[in-house]
Amino acid sequence: MSVTENKNVRVRFAPSPTGALHIGGGHTALFNWLWARHTGGKFILRIEDTDLVRSTKEYEQTIMSGMKWLGLDWDEGVDIGGDYGPYRQSERLDLYKKYAEQLLDEGKAYKDGEAIIFKTEPGQDISFDDIVYGRVEVNSDGLREKDSDKLKDIVIIKSDGMPTYNYAVVVDDHLMQISHVIRGEDHISNTPKQILLYRALNWEVPTFAHLPMILGRDKKKLSKRHGATSIYEYRDMGYMPDSVFNFLALLGWSAGDDKEIFTRSEAADLFELSKVARRPAVFDFDKLNYINQEHLKRLEPLTRLNMVAPFWGEAGLDVEAVKNSRGEKWLADALTLMAGRGRTAKEMAEFSDYFVSFEPVKQRWNADELDKDKLKKFYEFVFAAKDFKASELEELARKWVEENGVKMKDYAMPLRYALTGMKVSPGIFEVAEHLGREECEKRLKFFGLL
RNA sequence: GGUCCCAUCGUCUAGAGGCCUAGGACACAGCCCUUUCAAGGCUGCGGCGCGGGUUCGAAUCCCGCUGGGACCGCCA
């Protein structure tokens, strides 16, 4: 364990349930999780549902299952409780009211309409030290209204009785004894306002660590118009949780020693907040694809099968039937044969559908253009193989090719097409062995090649 | 308009004043292997935004400029 081990570390991810877990939120949650797991501290999930209009319980669930999908587990939260609950802001209204009234009594806040507003005093130095960004110099004189030189007071309780973000976050982070506030860089300019509140309440200010933003290809903050932003869209495209985790961890952080492919626990061991980068990172699909491919390669055969099988199903193939007839292991081994072909589970499923069914092969290819009689002799010779092993098939094929003075290519490719319907596949004799003599003969006969 | 932040290959990054002729990865290009590539191996292309300082020495420190971004909501 490293020197940064500290059981008193308490961090939180505090999403508002107004949409699915998106890439940016996942990134923030991930870095909080990494810090908690690295230090042996606690990771808390708090729901910030003070926007009555947009918050729903459904989104709350979606966000939680999104986090679970990513492999981020939490130690305290709405679903599992904890010593600092409730963990839903809408259930903590009395707390916000209590401290708002205190500020009112002390003359630090005033009422306007039904709202309670904290008075911003001019000339306050509200600089802070950020673990990632270093010293951030701010003076309260800079807290102005837009297009005006008027000082901006801070609304803490809205007219509907709900606390505002900047206020609730302070009350909750203090009461929940959050040690490190780890969040997106877009919050860096909210921090001084919160510091003012901490001071007015006479509370200790937590340590801040802001994370670089994630940008789209156009270098603008990642948003819906960049395409997939919800974590679940990545699952549906065939990316695996391990990969998305790995990829997100690499946005703004590096594990050192040029280590780019890692597991959650490896990342947790190596993670350091102080090593987080400041510059915003562009979301790069090419890199995600690569990382996913690497994880796909490293998966246990049965686990890989479980990742890929749904996409065969999606393509209309009866995976269950094959599992029943040839067994799960046979299918898993077929994917092992794919040896890294395919960057996503979906691609791997597309590239290997001929193992599940002959139907797609029939649809993709026909032998009309071929000199069938010539090929038949070759296949008859090769298929005389006693054990139908790849090495044996290849040996016979080579022998025949040599004796007849022809090119292997001209005979192996038609075989590849007849068995897979594709131009590309693993070694075709290996594919043949795995498919088995019976199935291969069936396919060749269908095309009139045997 | 104001405040704050950022700045190394196209992209993710390493780099804490000499280990830097700037390292790795992705992408791209080429070559090799070969029954195919979407697998594997090798090679290449490509970057410290600009200008001033400080220093014997700067990608690293300071200032300015330029360029990007975030925030300035009774959203979070």
Side-chain angles (χ1 to χ4, degrees):
Chain A
M1 243 329 143
S2 87
V3 288
T4 51
E5 178 171 10
N6 181 351
K7 299 272 195 256
N8 295 323
V9 164
R10 290 176 57 80
V11 296
R12 82 310 193 270
F13 175 53
S16 70
T18 55
L21 181 63
H22 54 90
I23 289 295
H27 183 252
T28 302
L30 177 40
F31 277 58
N32 274 282
W33 182 91
L34 281 172
W35 188 237
R37 295 297 170 256
H38 176 73
T39 56
K42 296 278 190 256
F43 178 45
I44 292 121
L45 175 62
R46 183 174 71 221
I47 298 295
E48 309 214 328
D49 58 344
T50 55
D51 183 336
L52 261 14
V53 182
R54 298 192 300 150
S55 300
T56 70
K57 283 268 168 35
E58 286 69 36
Y59 280 136
E60 205 176 291
Q61 283 305 320
T62 311
I63 287 169
M64 290 198 281
S65 48
M67 288 174 68
K68 283 177 190 163
W69 183 79
L70 259 185
L72 309 179
D73 56 326
W74 51 95
D75 305 297
E76 297 170 26
V78 286
D79 56 334
I80 53 174
D83 295 339
Y84 299 83
Y87 292 91
R88 196 152 24 218
Q89 291 190 326
S90 60
E91 294 167 15
R92 301 171 62 82
L93 301 185
D94 49 331
L95 262 10
Y96 307 125
K97 179 175 282 183
K98 175 181 164 192
Y99 294 107
E101 266 159 22
Q102 181 184 317
L103 290 172
L104 237 25
D105 290 345
E106 293 171 356
K108 293 172 179 167
Y110 60 92
K111 280 201 170 185
D112 181 34
E114 289 302 301
I116 300 177
I117 298 164
F118 178 80
K119 201 165 172 359
T120 301
E121 296 294 341
Q124 305 289 305
D125 175 33
I126 34 180
S127 304
F128 61 99
D129 291 300
D130 189 283
I131 294 185
V132 175
Y133 284 86
R135 184 93 183 144
V136 179
E137 304 270 4
V138 200
N139 188 286
S140 65
D141 292 342
L143 302 179
R144 311 271 187 67
E145 287 182 14
K146 193 172 179 180
D147 297 322
S148 154
D149 51 7
K150 258 173 58 191
L151 220 53
K152 176 93 176 126
D153 288 340
I154 303 165
V155 177
I156 57 175
I157 301 285
K158 301 183 259 182
S159 303
D160 65 3
M162 299 301 270
T164 58
Y165 164 74
N166 278 128
Y167 172 63
V169 79
V170 167
V171 172
D172 289 343
D173 284 343
H174 170 74
L175 261 23
M176 294 182 181
Q177 292 185 32
I178 299 303
S179 62
H180 297 71
V181 172
I182 303 170
R183 67 217 324 186
E185 187 257 14
D186 47 341
H187 285 293
I188 216 163
S189 47
N190 283 321
T191 307
K193 299 174 201 167
Q194 292 165 20
I195 288 175
L196 244 22
L197 259 13
Y198 276 105
R199 287 186 189 163
L201 261 0
N202 241 300
W203 289 340
E204 192 187 340
V205 179
T207 301
F208 294 101
H210 288 88
L211 271 16
M213 296 275 85
I214 299 177
L215 274 25
R217 281 216 92 90
D218 58 356
K219 304 220 173 178
K220 296 268 191 289
K221 188 174 170 180
L222 203 62
S223 69
K224 286 190 191 73
R225 77 200 151 72
H226 290 101
T229 49
S230 152
I231 289 281
Y232 279 139
E233 290 175 75
Y234 290 85
R235 176 196 60 191
D236 296 343
M237 287 188 278
Y239 294 100
M240 301 177 300
D242 300 23
S243 322
V244 177
F245 179 103
N246 192 153
F247 173 70
L248 251 23
L250 247 20
L251 256 27
W253 177 70
S254 63
D257 291 330
D258 298 324
K259 189 172 178 59
E260 297 217 285
I261 305 297
F262 43 71
T263 63
R264 289 179 186 78
S265 67
E266 285 174 322
D269 282 347
L270 265 15
F271 187 72
E272 281 301 337
L273 261 186
S274 59
K275 299 273 281 182
V276 172
R278 284 170 282 276
R279 121 163 98 154
V282 175
F283 187 102
D284 180 21
F285 263 97
D286 286 327
K287 190 71 174 253
L288 208 213
N289 284 333
Y290 163 75
I291 289 173
N292 197 65
Q293 186 166 31
E294 290 303 310
H295 279 276
L296 214 37
K297 284 185 202 169
R298 288 163 167 73
L299 249 29
E300 289 298 316
L302 239 37
T303 313
R304 187 187 294 116
L305 174 62
N306 289 333
M307 294 305 314
V308 172
F311 293 98
W312 279 329
E314 207 172 79
L317 304 178
D318 191 347
V319 181
E320 285 311 307
V322 181
K323 277 187 184 171
N324 290 334
S325 59
R326 312 193 77 148
E328 244 189 349
K329 186 174 184 302
W330 183 85
L331 268 180
D333 289 344
L335 292 179
T336 303
L337 223 48
M338 294 299 289
R341 270 163 271 245
R343 298 174 303 182
T344 62
K346 187 174 181 160
E347 267 188 5
M348 186 174 265
E350 284 166 7
F351 295 167
S352 63
D353 60 359
Y354 49 83
F355 282 113
V356 187
S357 164
F358 184 37
E359 292 310 311
V361 179
K362 291 183 196 168
Q363 282 164 30
R364 279 197 290 265
W365 191 69
N366 65 67
D368 295 353
E369 312 269 296
L370 297 177
D371 181 342
K372 297 185 183 178
D373 292 331
K374 203 175 84 182
L375 290 165
K376 269 184 183 173
K377 289 178 190 138
F378 170 77
Y379 296 132
E380 275 160 17
F381 183 78
V382 171
F383 276 40
K386 199 155 81 22
D387 300 320
F388 215 75
K389 292 285 177 211
S391 56
E392 193 186 7
L393 293 167
E394 182 173 348
E395 201 178 310
L396 287 171
R398 289 197 184 286
K399 195 175 167 196
W400 197 87
V401 161
E402 197 185 322
E403 282 173 3
N404 289 275
V406 293
K407 287 182 184 158
M408 173 72 100
K409 186 180 182 172
D410 296 327
Y411 293 82
M413 280 313 285
L415 177 60
R416 169 168 286 113
Y417 275 115
L419 296 183
T420 71
M422 291 179 174
K423 183 173 179 290
V424 176
S425 81
I428 197 56
F429 300 112
E430 282 157 335
V431 171
E433 176 188 329
H434 198 63
L435 248 17
R437 186 195 299 275
E438 195 187 327
E439 181 65 22
C440 288
E441 287 182 354
K442 181 183 127 191
R443 294 188 183 192
L444 285 173
K445 277 177 185 159
F446 175 86
F447 291 118
L449 294 170
L450 200 66

